[in-house]
Amino acid sequence: MIRIAAVGDIHMGPDTRGVLRPAFDTLHECADLLLLAGDLTRHGTVEEARVVADEIRDLAVPVVAVLGNHDHHDDRQDEVTAVLRDAGARVLEGESTVVRAGDARVGVAGTKGFGGGFVGASAGEFGEPVMKEFVRVSRHCADGLRTALERLDEDGCDVRIALTHYSPVPETLAGEPLEIYPFLGSYLLAEAIDTAGADLAVHGHAHAGSEHGMTTGGVRVRNVAQPVIGRAFHVYHLPVQHPAGTRSGAEAVTG
């Protein structure tokens, strides 16, 4: 059984320094790795990134992260990424990484993702250049996620996880105003996950959303935005493989 701790939207700044560290120091007791689902800072400043870095530095479990829209606000996302990586985090954008959990190899593919909406109410690559660019960014993120998941499959990972900031499904947005759904996620992310395959999808971004969802292909989706889970992190248990050889979905447990 693989134990995955996850949280997003911690929105840290100088006044919250040290708030999460006591909980993170217990991770080795209940989890094999920590996933950070974006919006780690408030405004994407390097100063705020250093606060996050101090929370995760030298933890006893691997840390894998993606950035969120807040982490891009100051247009210093490369510097934010560098600060987090210097603290030991594996920060992904259209990339994948593999961590060990006992004898199992856990593959994580990550992208920030972007908006655009969902089937029946989504933006299309048509009209003004800025609208076409909006959808192209979403498609580019989704393509990177799909390629990264496929690479993990080729590598023979025992478990594959899709880590994003934006949501791949509308179900985990329930509670948010319908009018802003197109700015909270994109069906293109779900298409990428279902095409390549995954055992679990984790995202943040939707503070007023819901925790549980599922892609049309049957991949379980979890919204781990901190306002949703209401704690420093949530832990999910993933069986590596059923005896019959088929993978199982994620079973949520509180931690």
Side-chain angles (χ1 to χ4, degrees), residues 16-104:
T16 59
R17 186 182 301 276
V19 167
L20 292 176
R21 184 68 193 210
F24 284 174
D25 279 337
T26 70
L27 280 165
H28 68 284
E29 301 172 1
C30 59
D32 299 303
L33 70 158
L34 172 64
L35 303 181
L36 299 176
D39 275 8
L40 311 180
T41 65
R42 293 174 183 165
H43 303 98
T45 68
V46 173
E47 179 186 19
E48 292 170 346
R50 291 188 180 121
V51 174
V52 180
D54 289 342
E55 302 295 291
I56 63 172
R57 193 184 311 277
D58 298 324
L59 290 182
V61 301
V63 180
V64 184
V66 295
L67 300 187
N69 55 306
H70 279 248
D71 306 317
H72 281 249
H73 179 70
D74 202 38
D75 201 24
R76 302 180 73 178
Q77 55 271 15
D78 291 343
E79 294 171 77
V80 168
T81 295
V83 169
L84 297 177
R85 285 177 173 165
D86 285 346
R90 309 182 194 190
V91 184
L92 307 178
E93 180 49 59
E95 300 161 307
S96 61
T97 189
V98 179
V99 300
R100 284 279 181 182
D103 294 330

Side-chain angles (χ1 to χ4, degrees), residues 189-218:
L189 294 171
E191 281 192 350
I193 292 167
D194 284 340
T195 298
D199 297 282
L200 176 67
V202 172
H203 74 87
H205 195 39
H207 293 196
S210 305
E211 183 184 357
H212 298 268
M214 186 176 290
T215 69
T216 56

